[in-house]
Amino acid sequence: MTIQDSIPARTDKELTYRNDIRNIAIVAHVDHGKTTLVDALLKQSHVFRDNQAVGEQIMDQNALEREKGITILAKNTAVVYKGVKINIIDTPGHADFSGEVERVINMADGCLLVVDSVDGPMPHTKFVLRHALEKGIKPIVVINKIDRKDARLPEVLSATQDLFLELATREDQLDFSVLYASAKEGIAVTEPGMVGKDISPLFEAILKQVPPPAIETGPFQMLVSNLDYDTHKGKIAIGRIHRGKVSPHDLVTALHGDGSATQHEIGQVFTYLGLKKNEVEEASAGDIVAVTGVGEVSIGDTIASQETPEALPRIEISEPTVKMTFAVNTSPFAGREGRFCTTRQIRKRLYDELEKNLSLRVQDTDSPDTFLISGRGELHLAILIETMRREGYEFEISKPEAITKRIDGKLMEPVEALTIDTREEFIGVISESLSKRQARLTNMRNDGSGNVRLEYHIPTKGLIGFRGDLLTATRGNGIMSTEFLGYEPWHGDLTSARSGVLVAAEEGTAVSYGLANAQERGIMFIEPGTEVYGGMIVGLTNRQQDIPINVCKEKKKTNVRMSVAEIAIKLDPPMILSLEQAIDFINKDELVEVTPKHIRLRKKILDHQMRLRQIANERRAQEAKV
């Protein structure tokens, strides 16, 4: 198919086309090499100086992105190839951040669908392709990592073709280009087995296959797809100009989601090239721009000329599936380590997050100090928690829960497709764990070399805490991914598989003697010198009930001399839980205390006697129901 064939048919509105621009999004499942491919495109387009050190993961400048090795936020960049400016939208590959894909993909006319040469299409591959085809975006398939020894190019191509057959709504969507690349080596070829020199075949495919922006005649109109902030310039609105032109000092109207409108004057206009924003005197339809001066604007709003302020269709974002509470820290150590600890500060920060995190929901609760936060998954919420923690916020969070609905009077819960890649020797332990989580096996494939792919349908509530169990059960040889399917009737309650915990009995500083006695009953989470308080969780026991223990207890001093061997106390290394592990670990009667310096686990009710009364009351209430 030529580029003329891919240009949409004319409508009742007169359209022209800008052949000097291409707007593309790069979409893929997590760890399929999307970020490395963006690196290759940037480096080989010569947007950097020859002696400039840019390193790897050029677009992932966020500290959390570099630490976790995943893209979290959608970003814009641009390169120039043969006189054509190619605007590139880099998107996350993890399902928990799929809202980032939904809000920026409308800026693109084409997309590079990156698929791993071994894994093939994965759940998030299906998600992003479905959205691209629904938006009428022209896809180019890039089978990446062809340098891998276990690459399965024919099988992956066949699976990708099957995916297009499943998702395509028009016949012309089945006619797509395929390239083979090694982003790590910076090469792309049009046929398997060819010797690659550089990434230029991919640039050529973009110019030939991706349609140029269709330009509608009329006054200025732009949909805000992203927001940025600068301490000097204020709020920066980012989006693609749908119609007309924009220049500094233009008078515009911002059309908001509630139907209201506000008047503004454009401050500065920027376009992208490489990692920089370049200030320009004018930008026209088809350009992806960043504009200042429009302070009262949100993602999904339309910025239009005051002459004819017409709103564009708002961005549609899928609903969240997981919820948890954020609350003011109520532990005895509250206020010691955080700069922002009050209800007002936490509330403002959470509602400010809604401006750019469209997948998030924030609700006030009956308690003025507690907020209900809903998101796409555990990782989505964990990134928000870690970001706030690093900014100096201190608060406490509850265990995540699946968001249920009532449809036609029936209780419904979210269900997801779970895909696990592992070794065949772990099938038994995985199946046993998932059966307790109400998962149903739908498919199993073995590649003949001991590698298996297991596919399940599982309630979202069953996925909470499963990632850690999978890594433990498979000794790190398990990779999981999910895709939201929809809502099904409630499958019933899950029973907690976790055993009881060791709970500190009093406030003080943990010492070696007290920890030595405690570790005889389980695995410790703390080390000597750690400050603890009554009700704080300090370890895990193999018993079903919780055990209060005094980790601050010191050895009694006597005047009897002892040998050095008797004085030495041997302690096992503690299990230090990360934020994600802590969220997965806690039960409904427990909380995670998050501060800039520490992550502590605690009981909701700190007093041991009050906890016992609460358990007794719940047991009596349950017996009364029966």
Side-chain angles (χ1 to χ4, degrees):
M1 177 182 286
T2 65
I3 193 162
Q4 285 76 21
D5 297 326
S6 63
I7 291 177
R10 288 181 178 268
T11 63
D12 56 337
K13 295 183 178 180
E14 190 67 22
L15 299 177
T16 57
Y17 299 92
R18 286 191 62 179
N19 284 310
D20 62 330
I21 285 183
R22 299 292 186 274
N23 294 319
I24 65 165
I26 300 188
V27 295
H29 187 81
V30 66
D31 202 32
H32 279 197
K34 171 182 55 58
T35 302
T36 309
L37 185 63
V38 176
D39 287 355
L41 292 173
L42 287 170
K43 290 176 180 178
Q44 294 192 30
S45 63
H46 305 294
V47 295
F48 305 115
R49 300 189 311 273
D50 291 339
N51 63 344
Q52 186 174 352
V54 292
E56 306 297 328
Q57 296 179 323
I58 299 171
M59 294 296 291
D60 290 346
Q61 298 297 319
N62 183 288
L64 278 174
E65 290 179 321
R66 288 192 169 271
E67 287 177 20
K68 296 184 178 295
I70 60 173
T71 301
I72 297 172
L73 303 171
K75 308 172 191 70
N76 294 86
T77 186
V79 300
V80 176
Y81 181 77
K82 290 187 176 180
V84 177
K85 185 175 184 180
I86 302 174
N87 287 308
I88 300 172
I89 307 160
D90 186 21
T91 65
H94 197 287
D96 281 20
F97 308 107
S98 53
E100 293 285 308
V101 180
E102 291 174 314
R103 71 177 173 83
V104 299
I105 202 167
N106 62 81
M107 291 192 287
D109 298 300
C111 71
L112 302 184
L113 180 69
V114 185
V115 183
D116 190 283
S117 65
V118 177
D119 296 341
M122 297 290 281
H124 195 63
T125 313
K126 183 177 181 180
F127 172 85
V128 294
L129 179 59
R130 180 192 296 117
H131 275 271
L133 296 178
E134 287 175 354
K135 299 287 185 183
I137 292 172
K138 177 69 176 177
I140 298 173
V141 174
V142 181
I143 298 180
N144 192 27
K145 303 185 183 181
I146 59 173
D147 54 312
R148 292 181 62 173
K149 294 181 180 179
D150 51 351
R152 306 179 300 120
L153 302 185
E155 295 87 346
V156 169
L157 177 58
S158 177
T160 305
Q161 290 170 336
D162 291 342
L163 186 61
F164 272 83
L165 282 169
E166 179 185 348
L167 299 178
T169 57
R170 303 194 313 265
E171 186 177 346
D172 63 289
Q173 292 177 334
L174 299 177
D175 184 14
F176 56 90
S177 299
V178 181
L179 284 90
Y180 302 85
S182 170
K184 186 177 180 181
E185 297 180 359
I187 60 170
V189 294
T190 55
E191 297 291 339
M194 291 178 63
V195 177
K197 296 180 180 179
D198 52 29
I199 209 76
S200 59
L202 187 53
F203 280 125
E204 294 291 344
I206 292 170
L207 296 190
K208 293 177 181 177
Q209 300 297 326
V210 175
I215 310 304
E216 179 186 324
T217 57
F220 173 66
Q221 191 181 40
M222 174 184 119
L223 182 68
V224 179
S225 299
N226 203 352
L227 292 175
D228 200 357
Y229 186 81
D230 185 272
T231 51
H232 301 291
K233 300 179 180 70
K235 187 179 288 186
I236 302 173
I238 301 168
R240 172 177 164 176
I241 301 177
H242 178 71
R243 189 178 68 190
K245 299 179 180 181
V246 64
S247 300
H249 309 299
D250 283 355
L251 300 178
V252 295
T253 298
L255 304 169
H256 308 293
D258 59 2
S260 62
T262 53
Q263 311 301 317
H264 304 274
E265 179 182 341
I266 296 293
Q268 295 168 290
V269 180
F270 299 90
T271 58
Y272 292 88
L273 185 64
L275 301 182
K276 297 179 180 178
K277 293 189 187 83
N278 297 323
E279 187 173 358
V280 295
E281 290 302 316
E282 182 181 86
S284 56
D287 282 322
I288 294 177
V289 298
V291 298
T292 66
V294 191
E296 299 176 35
V297 72
S298 301
I299 294 174
D301 291 352
T302 299
I303 302 175
S305 168
Q306 290 187 3
E307 301 172 9
T308 52
E310 300 172 352
L312 289 164
R314 294 191 67 83
I315 299 171
E316 295 182 2
I317 301 292
S318 301
E319 295 181 5
T321 56
V322 175
K323 63 182 180 181
M324 67 193 312
T325 61
F326 284 45
V328 173
N329 189 12
T330 57
S331 85
F333 294 168
R336 289 189 182 184
E337 300 167 356
R339 290 189 294 131
F340 310 111
C341 312
T342 66
T343 302
R344 179 185 59 81
Q345 291 168 331
I346 295 172
R347 187 180 193 277
K348 183 180 184 304
R349 176 63 180 82
L350 291 173
Y351 277 95
D352 285 348
E353 183 71 17
L354 295 178
E355 287 195 356
K356 54 186 177 181
N357 196 339
L358 294 193
S359 300
L360 199 72
R361 302 287 187 274
V362 178
Q363 294 175 259
D364 293 330
T365 64
D366 295 337
S367 169
D369 297 333
T370 304
F371 308 94
L372 182 65
I373 313 299
S374 305
R376 283 291 182 88
E378 289 176 90
L379 185 58
H380 182 205
L381 297 175
I383 291 296
L384 171 62
I385 295 165
E386 182 64 27
T387 302
M388 291 178 61
R389 173 179 177 249
R390 296 187 182 196
E391 292 173 356
Y393 286 84
E394 179 179 315
F395 51 99
E396 60 189 27
I397 55 176
S398 68
K399 183 177 181 62
E401 298 179 14
I403 298 175
T404 57
K405 290 182 175 181
R406 284 209 171 268
I407 302 176
D408 297 331
K410 293 182 179 180
L411 183 62
M412 310 289 279
E413 65 174 333
V415 176
E416 303 188 39
L418 169 66
T419 302
I420 299 173
D421 289 301
T422 186
R423 299 287 299 174
E424 58 186 9
E425 59 261 33
F426 302 118
I427 293 176
V429 65
I430 291 173
S431 299
E432 182 181 356
S433 176
L434 286 174
S435 64
K436 298 175 183 177
R437 296 172 176 268
Q438 301 176 345
R440 307 188 306 275
L441 182 66
T442 58
N443 194 15
M444 180 171 65
R445 284 173 284 177
N446 193 315
D447 68 354
S449 302
N451 299 309
V452 294
R453 175 169 290 181
L454 306 172
E455 297 177 6
Y456 292 86
H457 285 182
I458 181 172
T460 299
K461 67 174 182 282
L463 284 172
I464 296 172
F466 175 67
R467 192 178 300 272
D469 290 350
L470 175 67
L471 292 175
T472 302
T474 61
R475 301 169 196 163
N477 290 299
I479 300 173
M480 62 172 280
S481 56
T482 60
E483 179 195 10
F484 176 68
L485 294 176
Y487 281 81
E488 292 182 2
W490 178 254
H491 290 70
D493 293 325
L494 291 177
T495 56
S496 175
R498 200 202 72 187
S499 56
V501 291
L502 300 174
V503 185
E506 62 180 47
E507 185 173 332
T509 303
V511 295
S512 297
Y513 184 76
L515 290 173
N517 292 331
Q519 74 179 11
E520 295 176 0
R521 304 194 178 194
I523 302 170
M524 303 307 300
F525 295 159
I526 62 172
E527 54 191 0
T530 303
E531 289 188 282
V532 300
Y533 53 81
M536 178 174 160
I537 297 171
V538 296
L540 176 67
T541 180
N542 54 9
R543 299 186 181 183
Q544 289 303 311
Q545 67 273 19
D546 300 334
I547 301 175
I549 196 149
N550 185 6
V551 293
C552 306
K553 182 179 180 181
E554 297 182 351
K555 186 177 178 68
K556 290 184 178 180
K557 297 178 181 179
T558 69
N559 59 357
V560 179
R561 295 192 177 191
M562 304 181 70
S563 67
V564 175
E566 288 177 303
I567 293 174
I569 297 175
K570 294 182 179 180
L571 293 177
D572 297 329
M575 179 191 293
I576 306 299
L577 299 180
S578 66
L579 174 62
E580 290 89 343
Q581 290 171 328
I583 294 171
D584 289 345
F585 178 83
I586 58 174
N587 277 335
K588 290 184 178 180
D589 64 333
E590 297 162 354
L591 298 169
V592 179
E593 178 187 349
V594 179
T595 78
K597 295 182 180 179
H598 292 97
I599 296 171
R600 303 183 181 96
L601 308 182
R602 52 161 287 187
K603 288 291 184 178
K604 283 185 179 179
I605 302 174
L606 297 178
D607 184 81
H608 179 60
Q609 295 301 324
M610 291 183 65
R611 287 200 303 273
L612 293 179
R613 291 194 200 102
Q614 178 72 14
I615 293 171
N617 292 336
E618 290 176 355
R619 187 182 296 117
R620 282 194 292 268
Q622 189 67 27
E623 291 172 352
K625 286 183 180 179
V626 175

